[in-house]
Amino acid sequence: HGEKDPVIELPGWMTVVDLLFVAFFTFEITVRIAAGPEWFWSGVERYWNWADFGLVMLSILDTTLSGSGFMVKQARLIRLLRFVRSVRILRAFRFFRGLRLLVFSVIHSIVPLFWALVFLLVTVFIFVAIALQGVSEHLTLAVYPDDAAEVMRVHFSGVPVAVLSHFAAVSSGVSWWILFD
């Protein structure tokens, strides 16, 4: 291309927050290593620990390069480091087992929900077909002027309107007495 990629300056408060996060995570990783180096490097959660250590080191590198005024050509390295550092949030998901279970339950219930809706739609369609048959018979035998026949003509003029009328009746949008009186 030939275009220069501009370096984006962060507002002062974001730089302070960024430095506080880096300081906090550096302190945290230091305390964890000091508490048990053998546990940290070879324990049960060693892979998470290695990932945390790498992310903290990348954060320190990012902060050092950004703070020193080092201009990376097209600033892509800085953006990559900031993106990789945001991966640290994945570690937090381990602590929310209940939330994770709930999210997985919702995700895995989508297919049964779909089939329940299909079943409900088929059931409504069957009742609409029965109701349309009854309405049709009533309209052919009705003696005019018949107020009930006019209401039926409005609410059961075809399959889509009858489905809508049944849905309205089931969801308390229209009283059953109005539809089937």
Side-chain angles (χ1 to χ4, degrees):
H1 293 131
E3 296 178 16
K4 286 191 170 185
D5 200 4
V7 176
I8 299 170
E9 284 292 321
L10 294 175
W13 68 271
M14 285 183 79
T15 304
V16 171
V17 169
D18 195 33
L19 286 172
L20 288 173
F21 274 111
V22 170
F24 173 76
F25 288 126
T26 303
F27 175 74
E28 180 211 11
I29 205 84
T30 304
V31 168
R32 286 174 42 204
I33 291 172
E38 58 282 339
W39 168 84
F40 185 85
W41 297 112
S42 60
V44 176
E45 295 188 351
R46 66 180 170 268
Y47 298 116
W48 281 111
N49 294 335
W50 295 349
D52 283 346
F53 182 77
L55 290 172
V56 167
M57 291 299 113
L58 286 175
S59 297
I60 292 170
L61 179 64
D62 173 33
T63 304
T64 305
L65 290 177
S66 297
S68 68
F70 179 73
M71 298 300 288
V72 179
K73 187 177 181 182
Q74 298 180 339
R76 288 197 172 114
L77 178 62
I78 298 290
R79 278 188 260 141
L80 178 66
L81 291 176
R82 286 195 175 129
F83 173 74
V84 168
R85 191 175 55 187
S86 67
V87 173
R88 185 172 169 81
I89 194 75
L90 293 177
R91 179 152 166 74
F93 287 128
R94 293 181 328 123
F95 297 110
F96 299 110
R97 286 199 168 102
L99 177 63
R100 191 173 63 202
L101 177 66
L102 182 65
V103 169
F104 285 142
S105 298
V106 168
I107 289 171
H108 291 295
S109 66
I110 289 174
V111 172
L113 176 65
F114 169 76
W115 287 114
L117 290 174
V118 167
F119 177 75
L120 181 65
L121 191 62
V122 167
T123 305
V124 167
F125 185 75
I126 289 170
F127 280 99
V128 163
I130 293 168
L132 279 175
Q133 185 65 32
V135 166
S136 160
E137 195 172 309
H138 178 79
L139 290 177
T140 56
L141 300 174
V143 178
Y144 291 96
D146 186 359
D147 292 337
E150 290 306 315
V151 170
M152 287 182 189
R153 202 178 310 266
V154 169
H155 292 289
F156 295 95
S157 61
V159 174
V161 176
V163 169
L164 181 62
S165 296
H166 269 77
F167 178 74
V170 168
S171 63
S172 298
V174 175
S175 173
W176 283 105
W177 293 111
I178 293 172
L179 295 178
F180 293 104
D181 190 21

